[in-house]
Amino acid sequence: QVQLVESGGGLVQAGDSLRLSCAPSGRTFRYYYLGWFRQAPGKEREFVAHISWSGGSTYYAESARGRFTISRDNAKNTVYLQMNRLKSEDTAVYYCAAKSTYDQIWDYWGQGTQVTVSS
C-alpha cells in the first residue's frame, strides 16, 4: 500500500524553526513532484511549496517564500520542509503530497503533522 508519513511537527514559539520530513513508502516516487500543503482550522487546504523530481525546480506560496525551504533526497526517498522565522499564522496541519511529472493531479497524500506556533 502506498503511504506518505510526515514527521517533525510540534509546538514552538514565534521566530523559531522546524524541519518537517516526509518519507513515502510502498513505491519509489521517480519522476514525481513532491509538495507540502497545509490546512488551518476552519480554512481550506492551501499550497505551501513543491519540488521537481531532480530538485532543480522549486516553487513557494507567497506566505512561505523567503522563510521556508523545500528539498528532497531521492536516495532516501524523502522530502523536507525547513521552516524558519515561524509566525502564528503558520499554525496548521501540514500535509505531504506527490504528483506525477506528467499530469496535474496530486494523487498521493499523507495524514498530516500538526505545527503550532505560539505568539
Side-chain angles (χ1 to χ4, degrees), residues 8-95:
L11 173 63
V12 298
Q13 298 271 10
D16 286 353
S17 297
L18 280 175
R19 188 180 73 162
L20 306 183
S21 300
C22 174
S25 63
R27 65 166 291 168
T28 299
F29 285 94
R30 188 174 185 180
Y31 304 129
Y32 271 67
Y33 279 63
L34 295 173
W36 291 94
F37 296 75
R38 68 186 183 187
Q39 187 168 21
K43 297 184 178 180
E44 295 184 356
R45 187 172 298 183
E46 66 176 0
F47 168 80
V48 177
H50 71 221
I51 187 167
S52 64
W53 156 248
S54 69
S57 296
T58 59
Y59 190 76
Y60 299 89
E62 185 64 30
S63 60
R65 192 171 296 124
R67 298 187 299 122
F68 294 3
T69 302
I70 189 170
S71 61
R72 68 191 292 170
D73 185 340
N74 288 340
K76 297 180 179 179
N77 201 30
T78 301
V79 63
Y80 306 94
L81 185 68
Q82 177 68 44
M83 305 187 294
N84 297 326
R85 303 192 307 279
L86 284 161
K87 306 174 181 179
S88 60
E89 308 94 271
D90 297 316
T91 296
V93 177
Y94 283 71
Y95 297 90

